[in-house]
Amino acid sequence: MPDSVEGRIKEALEERGALHMTLLDPQKIGSERSAKIASEAEKGGTFAIMVGGSTLASRNDLDTGVKKIKSLVDVPVILFPNDIAGVSKYADAIWFMSLLNSRLTYYVIDAQAMAAYTVKSYGLEAIPLGYIIIGPGGTVGYVGQARGIPYDRPELATAYALASQMLGTRFIYLEAGSGAKAPVPPEMIKIVKSELDVPLIVGGGIRNGSSAKAAVEAGADIIVTGNLIEETGLVRESINEIVTSIEGR
Ligand code: 1GP
C-alpha cells in the first residue's frame, strides 16, 4: 500500500473505478457524533473521511473532532478547510485547495499563503486541489464569495478545471454546495471530465445511489456526501447504497 494518502486514493481509483468520501463538520455536529458517524460510514465502505465546514472557526473543535474520528477509523482522514482555522495536525492529509472562482484573492491564494507554514510545520500531506463552485453554492458559495458557474455553462467549468490542471492541481472538485437542491448536472461532469487527465471530485446535493451513479457514469471519480449522513439514522446503509452503486464503474 502506498505511504501517501494521495497514492492510496490513486491506487484505489485504479482498483475500484470510483470512490466515495464522507464529509463531516465536528463543530456543527460535535466530535462524539462525528466519530460515530465516521465509523459507521467506514463500515458502509466510504474510502475516506473529510473534515471541514463552511463556517468552521474553532481549531480546538477541529482538533478534538479529528482526534476522536482517528481513534475510531482506519480510513484516511483528510482536512477540507474553509479557511486558515481548518488545519489540524492530527489529520492524515489536507486538500490544499484554491477556490478558483471566488471574487476574493483571499480564497484563491491568500488564505493558503497564511496557512502554508503551519501545514509544513505539522508535516501534513498537502494534496493540491482546484475547487470550483457550480450554481449559487449555498453557504460555501456565499462565504467564499464565488461567482458560481451556471449549471448550463459546462464550457466555463471546463475552462477553470483545465486551467487548474495546467497550474498543477492534481484533483479538481466541482461543488454544488452542501445541501444543494440539485447536484452538478451529469452533462457538465461529462464535458469537464472529457478534457481532464486528473481525477474529478463531485459533491453537493447527492443524497442517494442513483444520483451518485449518474455522476460517476458521467465521469466523476470521487463522490462526496455530507448532509445525507446528518439526515439519516442509517448511516452505514445509506453510504453502502452509494458505494455499491458507484464502485466498479
Ligand atoms: C459539500 O460537496 C459537499 O462541500 C457535500 O454536499 O452536504 O450536499 O452532501 P452535501
Side-chain angles (χ1 to χ4, degrees):
M1 187 164 69
D3 286 339
S4 69
V5 172
E6 183 174 351
R8 286 165 71 182
I9 294 171
K10 296 210 165 133
E11 184 181 79
L13 280 173
E14 295 255 313
E15 283 166 8
R16 303 190 213 169
L19 302 174
H20 173 267
M21 296 189 185
T22 301
L23 175 63
L24 291 167
D25 179 351
Q27 197 174 338
K28 190 165 149 207
I29 63 170
S31 55
E32 296 287 335
R33 189 156 171 244
S34 298
K36 279 193 191 119
I37 290 176
S39 168
E40 283 298 296
E42 178 179 51
K43 289 175 190 137
T46 203
F47 180 79
I49 304 296
M50 287 168 44
V51 184
S54 305
T55 54
L56 187 137
S58 159
R59 194 169 284 178
N60 244 353
D61 285 358
L62 179 67
D63 280 345
T64 311
V66 170
K67 274 197 270 186
K68 192 81 204 162
I69 292 167
K70 285 280 300 168
S71 73
L72 290 192
V73 303
D74 292 323
V75 292
V77 176
I78 309 173
L79 299 167
F80 185 53
N82 59 318
D83 207 328
I84 54 173
V87 184
S88 168
K89 66 174 81 157
Y90 302 104
D92 297 305
I94 181 167
W95 289 119
F96 203 79
M97 54 205 274
S98 171
L99 204 177
L100 299 169
N101 55 335
S102 175
R103 285 186 183 85
L104 301 181
T105 58
Y106 182 76
Y107 291 107
V108 179
I109 189 59
D110 299 330
Q112 295 79 351
M114 295 305 112
Y117 279 122
T118 306
V119 169
K120 187 168 186 217
S121 69
Y122 287 173
L124 272 171
E125 178 187 340
I127 311 176
L129 168 72
Y131 189 53
I132 305 167
I133 306 285
I134 310 300
T139 307
V140 68
Y142 178 83
V143 174
Q145 300 204 27
R147 293 181 302 147
I149 294 176
Y151 276 51
D152 60 353
R153 289 289 175 269
E155 70 283 4
L156 275 179
T158 308
Y160 278 82
L162 203 49
S164 185
Q165 177 178 290
M166 287 169 173
L167 283 164
T169 61
R170 297 195 289 271
F171 293 80
I172 304 288
Y173 192 138
L174 298 182
E175 171 71 272
S178 190
K181 287 197 184 81
V184 177
E187 305 73 47
M188 178 181 274
I189 296 171
K190 194 172 173 190
I191 293 170
V192 171
K193 182 64 185 180
S194 70
E195 298 289 346
L196 285 186
D197 302 310
V198 300
L200 181 61
I201 307 172
V202 175
I206 297 174
R207 291 184 186 81
N208 53 44
S210 62
S211 51
K213 184 175 162 188
V216 167
E217 283 182 344
D221 298 288
I222 298 171
I223 298 294
V224 178
T225 65
N227 258 3
L228 169 74
I229 36 100
E230 293 172 26
E231 287 164 3
T232 176
L234 303 170
V235 174
R236 191 189 310 193
E237 293 79 357
S238 309
I239 300 289
N240 192 251
E241 190 217 336
I242 294 182
V243 170
T244 49
S245 340
I246 64 170
E247 290 197 352
R249 280 174 199 283

